[in-house]
Amino acid sequence: MIVLDVLYNLIIGPLQLLFEFIFSISYKLVGDPGVCIIDLSIIMNLLALPLYKRADLLQKQAADKMKAIQPWQDRIRKTFKGDERFMMLQAYNREKGVRPSDALKGSISLLLEIPFFIAAFRMLSSLELLNGKSFGPISDLGSPDGLIAIGAVSVNLLPILMTAINLVSSSIYLKDSDIKGKIQLYGIAAIFLVLLYNSPAGLVFYWTCNNIFSLVKNILMSGRPEKNIGDAGGTDPSVFVSCCAYIAVFTGLFIPSNMLRSSPSEFTDMHCFTDPSVFLIYSLSLAAGTFILWCGVYYYLSDRRGRKIMESIFSVLAVVFTVNYFALGDRYGQFTKRLQYSYPDMHITNCLLEAIVLLIITSGAVFLIFRFNKKVFFYLAVSAAALALIFGTFYTVNIKKQIRTFDYMKDEQEYATITLSRTGKNVIIIMADRAQGYLVPYIFNDIDGLYESFDGFTYYPNTVSFGAHTNFAAPALFGGYEYTPDALNARGDESIASKHDEALKVLPVLFLENGYNVTLCDLPYAGYQEVPDLSIFSDYPQIDTYITNGRYNELKEEEVAENNTILKRNIFCYSIFRIMPVCLQGIFYDNAHYNCPDYRNDWTFIPRYKADGSGITGYDAEFLDSYTVLDNLPDMTVITDDPTGTLTEMENNTPHSTAILSEPDYIPMYQVDNTEYDMANMERFTVDDVTLSMEIYLQYSSYEVNAACYIKLAEWFDYLREQGVYDNTRIIVVSDHGYDFGMLPSWADGEFSAEFYNPVLLVKDFDAHGFETSDVFMTNADTPSIALEGLVDDPVNPFTGNPVDNTYKDSGEIMVFASHEFFISSNNGNTFLPDSWYTVHDDVRYIDNWEYEGVW
């Protein structure tokens, strides 16, 4: 199967991508599929015109040569027999310069037409965008036209019209040809009629447009004196071939492998495991087909002048693509496994002058090198291709090695069981990743019943986190003040990974040593892996560990299959996007659709947002992975009468996603339109005269996913209450950090925003009732002290021997690390990479209380 896919990608894949790119751009501009088909036909025919012109000339040259030698060949066949005839024919053909390849020259046009036809057929015959769309007298471009109705029988007129035009065009083209050539082309026209008669009207309309173009071309060319075919000799293809080979390896192997190796776990799924290095086969075959095969075909069919122009162009492109990738870098931050950036700013005016200057300088340099010694470029391109191949291979091996370390995932395939005691004390810590603390009053006022379900909780709005991302902020949340970023950096002789794991172990080991049953779910970056490696607790077999993220998503297999299909196409498209000038990257990125014209119908799990946040089409897969865990919490929970106390720690990413949900229930749906509800309920975004800024989809999605999280937690708390284990359970809902969505502009000062550092902190103690708000200055590093209070006397960190307390706050100032280097694959030394530090005191909600301390 992979072999066939590779062959398809080499020959047909590049053409199909080009078809899709042209159709997608045209559809964005005109919005009419019929017009897009006309545009597609015109552009593809103009692009293919040099190929066909050259092929026709070669074909005529071969025919004329065969016509000239035919009499002598016939005489030899009549005069000689057997081996003697064979030897004589060979000698004569050799004398006249006739080669076996001349037979292919007579079929070049047909050989070219076949891959173009297959590419068009594959795209247009399955393009659901055409379904139900009319164009002129055609009522449905996605079905056979049926333009003529005779009683109950409908006749498809377009294929007949297409064939008639084809026959007229062929008769003009073949007016001086022999009967054999005419039979061949008329036969092909008949085959097309049979093949396309019951095809969708859009496909037949495209081929009809092609035939009209061919007819016009033949009419214009008819009667004109034939030009000399042009000599391609004297050119040295080494520069062109080496540049094409370099670009192919660069875009097909180097860039994709470098991207995948940064975080292989992001591109696989522990519940439907796939080795992401497999996708490199598809990207490399597409790149080879694009830059070696098809660019090579253009080069081969060009005359000397055309070849020299192509050598210059591809030399410039090799340099420009390299500079764009390395010098301009990746400006758009984190992206998902669907190659979708979270907050891209891609506008055609971005760095336009920069791109023009680079192109001028590069073109000038190439011109000078060509004038001096063109072979220099050959050596440079070969060296670059070798380096790209070496590094690409090294990165691929690195991906394989990282994948082998994921064997721990096989041990985390069980469904989770959260055991709680009716008679003992239970402690539950829920890390709701990226839940913003300031949203709590807005959401709780908005949704009926939340205050009642969160009975006994105290909300701490004046809470600060120690970093803007999980790698900086989570250690302190789980381990206390010994694991703040400045404290971790102070232990510079130990790796960040080991200190992070130590922080995760503090509470589980303490509770275990004090006789509690411990259950852990999805602790962030355990083993310093994107997918938590809970084998770090293997020394404590009494601790139950589970990976729940994605385990309860009933659409998981469908999502993984779709994502694998997308990556097989889009990883190469991502490389093309990365080598483009910044001013053009938005066109090639295409909101993560990479110019797939049918993404609306083909892709279920790449959501399409309305810019104002009022709606969405498609599911957010990351949201489903986490949300379904919260939805299944009652089913995971096992209630016992065993008096042994329990500790449960879990991390959940529901508030971390960017889904738009159906209001007012805040549930995921494939198609969501909240326009009317949002317009009628804007007052929910105002509490105590402070109004949230709600203008873009990121702001709405953040509000909605936080709301969904609290609703599902409320349902679980109601279940615990029904089961009689609510009052004897201490519950802490806390996040590692917030995020700057610009909802509270007064919290920002230039590039710094306090929204990043305001995590949620909700605490319910044993037998507590009512819902209270406390302005006490808190941090999420208070979590261990709160969890242990009254259960373990004078708790001591089992790894450092230091007290687990909150005396760190006695100074009244908190040191916060404002770094955004959140990739654990790169920020993983003994200390964090240097960045900005701030101190905050008294109240995190006032920007004047934040002071910049410097970079270290």
Side-chain angles (χ1 to χ4, degrees):
M1 185 65 179
I2 289 182
V3 174
L4 293 177
D5 288 343
V6 168
L7 288 174
Y8 184 87
N9 281 352
L10 279 170
I11 302 170
I12 312 298
L15 297 178
Q16 187 170 335
L17 283 178
L18 183 59
F19 273 77
E20 292 173 350
F21 178 80
I22 295 169
F23 190 95
S24 178
I25 297 297
S26 177
Y27 191 74
K28 291 186 188 73
L29 294 175
V30 300
D32 187 322
V35 176
C36 293
I37 290 172
I38 296 173
D39 293 342
L40 178 65
S41 175
I42 293 172
I43 294 172
M44 288 304 300
N45 274 285
L46 288 174
L47 289 174
L49 185 59
L51 291 180
Y52 284 118
K53 273 186 73 175
R54 181 73 174 178
D56 289 345
L57 289 171
L58 288 172
Q59 190 168 313
K60 188 176 187 311
Q61 182 190 55
D64 290 345
K65 182 187 289 187
M66 295 304 295
K67 192 174 181 179
I69 67 172
Q70 189 70 42
W72 275 99
Q73 284 184 337
D74 291 342
R75 185 176 297 178
I76 290 171
R77 290 189 181 97
K78 288 180 180 179
T79 307
F80 301 96
K81 295 182 179 180
D83 291 341
E84 191 177 9
R85 176 197 290 174
F86 177 75
M87 297 297 292
M88 290 295 292
L89 282 172
Q90 270 199 327
Y92 179 72
N93 289 342
R94 189 162 50 247
E95 179 186 340
K96 295 299 181 180
V98 177
R99 302 180 183 89
S101 60
D102 289 341
L104 286 176
K105 287 183 180 180
S107 305
I108 285 181
S109 294
L110 178 60
L111 292 174
L112 286 173
E113 194 163 356
I114 289 172
F116 277 88
F117 172 75
I118 294 173
F121 186 87
R122 283 291 297 268
M123 187 194 114
L124 292 171
S125 64
S126 60
L127 191 63
E128 292 189 36
L129 181 65
L130 301 180
N131 291 345
K133 301 293 176 62
S134 62
F135 184 72
I138 305 170
S139 60
D140 185 357
L141 288 168
S143 302
D145 63 270
L147 286 173
I148 300 175
I150 304 173
V153 178
S154 61
V155 177
N156 299 324
L157 180 60
L158 267 180
I160 298 171
L161 180 62
M162 172 196 74
T163 305
I165 295 171
N166 195 3
L167 291 173
V168 173
S169 177
S170 298
S171 66
I172 296 173
Y173 177 73
L174 296 169
K175 63 180 180 179
D176 296 325
S177 296
D178 57 18
I179 189 65
K180 182 180 176 182
K182 292 179 180 179
I183 291 174
Q184 184 185 42
L185 277 188
Y186 293 154
I188 291 172
I191 291 172
F192 269 77
L193 174 62
V194 173
L195 286 177
L196 298 180
Y197 183 77
N198 286 314
S199 294
L203 173 61
V204 184
F205 180 52
Y206 168 78
W207 219 254
T208 303
C209 291
N210 281 1
N211 289 345
I212 293 173
F213 186 95
S214 179
L215 174 62
V216 172
K217 181 194 74 171
N218 289 339
I219 291 172
L220 293 176
M221 300 297 291
S222 178
R224 286 193 177 188
E226 293 178 4
K227 293 183 179 179
N228 193 312
I229 194 169
D231 183 17
T235 58
D236 181 3
S238 60
V239 172
F240 173 79
V241 172
S242 58
C243 287
C244 285
Y246 164 65
I247 296 172
V249 176
F250 189 57
T251 58
L253 180 63
F254 178 84
I255 295 176
S257 62
N258 192 30
M259 178 266 293
L260 290 173
R261 79 178 176 106
S262 65
S263 183
S265 60
E266 289 284 325
F267 297 93
T268 188
D269 191 283
M270 66 172 293
H271 304 300
C272 302
F273 196 83
T274 302
D275 182 347
S277 63
V278 171
F279 300 125
L280 297 176
I281 298 172
Y282 295 89
S283 62
L284 186 56
S285 58
L286 276 170
T290 302
F291 296 110
I292 296 177
L293 177 63
W294 280 105
C295 290
V297 168
Y298 264 88
Y299 186 84
Y300 172 76
L301 292 177
S302 297
D303 57 18
R304 181 185 300 176
R305 180 170 174 272
R307 290 187 176 187
K308 287 185 175 181
I309 291 173
M310 290 188 71
E311 288 168 7
S312 300
I313 289 174
F314 276 84
S315 298
V316 171
L317 290 179
V319 177
V320 170
F321 289 166
T322 305
V323 173
N324 284 338
Y325 179 76
F326 285 108
L328 304 182
D330 187 350
R331 302 174 170 219
Y332 309 114
Q334 190 176 18
F335 57 79
T336 69
K337 61 185 177 183
R338 291 162 193 81
L339 308 178
Q340 182 177 25
Y341 288 95
S342 298
Y343 323 111
D345 175 22
M346 300 183 191
H347 194 273
I348 197 166
T349 58
N350 290 355
C351 306
L352 179 59
L353 180 61
E354 179 179 302
I356 294 172
V357 170
L358 173 62
L359 182 62
I360 293 172
I361 293 174
T362 304
S363 301
V366 170
F367 175 76
L368 291 175
I369 292 173
F370 270 43
R371 287 287 297 265
F372 172 68
N373 186 356
K374 191 167 67 171
K375 273 291 184 182
V376 171
F377 240 98
F378 166 71
Y379 297 121
L380 288 174
V382 168
S383 300
L387 285 172
L389 181 61
I390 291 168
F391 277 98
T393 303
F394 174 77
Y395 293 155
T396 304
V397 172
N398 182 260
I399 294 167
K400 292 282 190 182
K401 286 182 178 179
Q402 291 190 61
I403 289 296
R404 283 197 292 271
T405 67
F406 297 162
D407 285 346
Y408 67 87
M409 297 181 186
K410 299 173 185 176
D411 298 326
E412 299 292 346
Q413 297 295 323
E414 296 181 14
Y415 286 89
T417 298
I418 298 174
T419 303
L420 300 176
S421 171
R422 280 195 181 93
T423 55
K425 297 289 188 181
N426 305 300
V427 177
I428 299 174
I429 300 173
I430 304 167
M431 184 189 125
D433 200 329
R434 206 171 78 174
Q436 293 101 299
Y438 59 83
L439 288 180
V440 168
Y442 297 91
I443 293 171
F444 277 53
N445 287 349
D446 175 18
I447 300 170
D448 292 338
L450 279 188
Y451 283 116
E452 290 76 16
S453 295
F454 278 76
D455 179 43
F457 276 86
T458 299
Y459 162 53
Y460 294 93
N462 188 19
T463 301
V464 67
S465 65
F466 289 86
H469 302 282
T470 303
N471 56 330
F472 310 120
L477 185 157
F478 286 98
Y481 288 98
E482 285 192 87
Y483 301 95
T484 62
D486 56 324
L488 292 177
N489 278 352
R491 294 165 58 181
D493 57 342
E494 303 169 67
S495 69
I496 293 173
S498 64
K499 291 176 284 192
H500 183 97
D501 288 346
E502 182 181 294
L504 298 182
K505 294 177 184 178
V506 170
L507 285 179
V509 173
L510 259 175
F511 273 88
L512 182 68
E513 290 177 345
N514 283 271
Y516 285 74
N517 294 327
V518 178
T519 301
L520 308 175
C521 300
D522 306 278
L523 297 193
Y525 296 155
Y528 235 48
Q529 298 282 356
E530 294 283 349
V531 177
D533 180 2
L534 298 179
S535 67
I536 65 170
F537 294 96
S538 58
D539 292 338
Y540 310 95
Q542 307 96 316
I543 295 177
D544 294 325
T545 61
Y546 302 99
I547 299 293
T548 64
N549 192 55
R551 166 59 67 189
Y552 301 89
N553 183 357
E554 295 179 354
L555 298 176
K556 172 57 67 178
E557 288 189 9
E558 181 183 342
E559 180 242 318
V560 170
E562 177 185 295
N563 192 57
N564 289 347
T565 301
I566 290 171
L567 290 177
K568 288 174 184 178
R569 174 192 186 271
N570 284 359
I571 285 183
F572 173 66
C573 297
Y574 169 84
S575 293
I576 300 300
F577 146 70
R578 286 295 311 277
I579 62 176
M580 285 295 123
V582 175
C583 58
L584 298 179
Q585 286 184 343
I587 296 173
F588 287 85
Y589 175 70
D590 185 33
N591 292 320
H593 305 136
Y594 297 93
N595 294 294
C596 174
D598 218 20
Y599 70 85
R600 298 165 185 83
N601 302 299
D602 288 347
W603 299 353
T604 302
F605 298 96
I606 292 188
R608 282 83 70 192
Y609 304 95
K610 292 184 178 179
D612 63 358
S614 63
I616 187 176
T617 301
Y619 293 113
D620 186 302
E622 280 77 19
F623 176 80
L624 291 179
D625 283 347
S626 302
Y627 177 79
T628 52
V629 175
L630 298 182
D631 192 39
N632 280 273
L633 281 174
D635 295 330
M636 296 182 215
T637 306
V638 174
I639 312 298
T640 73
D641 292 320
D642 184 344
T644 305
T646 69
L647 168 70
T648 301
E649 288 185 338
M650 68 176 72
E651 187 246 12
N652 188 270
N653 286 313
T654 298
H656 196 285
S657 66
T658 54
I660 296 294
L661 306 176
S662 179
E663 298 168 336
D665 298 322
Y666 298 100
I667 57 175
M669 296 180 65
Y670 179 76
Q671 188 82 40
V672 173
D673 187 352
N674 293 326
T675 305
E676 292 185 9
Y677 185 87
D678 286 338
M679 291 180 63
N681 294 275
M682 291 301 291
E683 73 282 354
R684 63 191 160 138
F685 301 127
T686 300
V687 172
D688 296 334
D689 297 325
V690 178
T691 300
L692 298 176
S693 175
M694 302 296 286
E695 298 175 352
I696 59 176
Y697 91 85
L698 288 171
Q699 294 166 337
Y700 278 94
S701 68
S702 177
Y703 182 93
E704 290 167 17
V705 296
N706 274 266
C709 177
Y710 295 129
I711 289 171
K712 286 303 169 185
L713 288 178
E715 292 176 1
W716 189 39
F717 298 159
D718 291 342
Y719 174 79
L720 299 183
R721 196 175 286 110
E722 293 170 4
Q723 299 299 317
V725 292
Y726 187 76
D727 288 339
N728 64 317
T729 300
R730 175 180 287 164
I731 304 173
I732 304 170
V733 180
V734 59
S735 61
D736 47 349
H737 57 87
Y739 203 84
D740 175 25
F741 287 113
M743 294 187 188
L744 295 170
S746 63
W747 285 30
D749 182 11
E751 294 183 359
F752 179 82
S753 172
E755 285 186 47
F756 269 119
Y757 310 98
N758 181 223
V760 69
L761 181 59
L762 290 160
V763 179
K764 185 199 83 70
D765 211 345
F766 303 114
D767 298 312
H769 293 284
F771 187 94
E772 299 179 358
T773 298
S774 171
D775 275 334
V776 173
F777 185 37
M778 302 288 284
T779 81
N780 52 6
D782 289 321
T783 300
S785 297
I786 296 171
L788 292 162
E789 185 178 358
L791 300 179
V792 178
D793 296 331
D794 301 319
V796 173
N797 186 324
F799 303 101
T800 66
N802 296 322
V804 179
D805 57 29
N806 56 12
T807 56
Y808 177 99
K809 292 193 301 182
D810 291 347
S811 66
E813 288 189 343
I814 301 298
M815 184 73 73
V816 173
F817 191 36
S819 172
H820 297 292
E821 295 288 342
F822 51 79
F823 285 113
I824 61 172
S825 58
S826 56
N827 202 350
N828 59 5
N830 286 1
T831 59
F832 293 116
L833 297 174
D835 218 311
S836 300
W837 292 82
Y838 287 79
T839 54
V840 61
H841 56 86
D842 297 331
D843 198 322
V844 304
R845 297 164 292 185
Y846 294 97
I847 197 67
D848 292 341
N849 291 338
W850 292 81
E851 295 182 11
Y852 176 68
E853 299 294 339
V855 175
W856 62 82

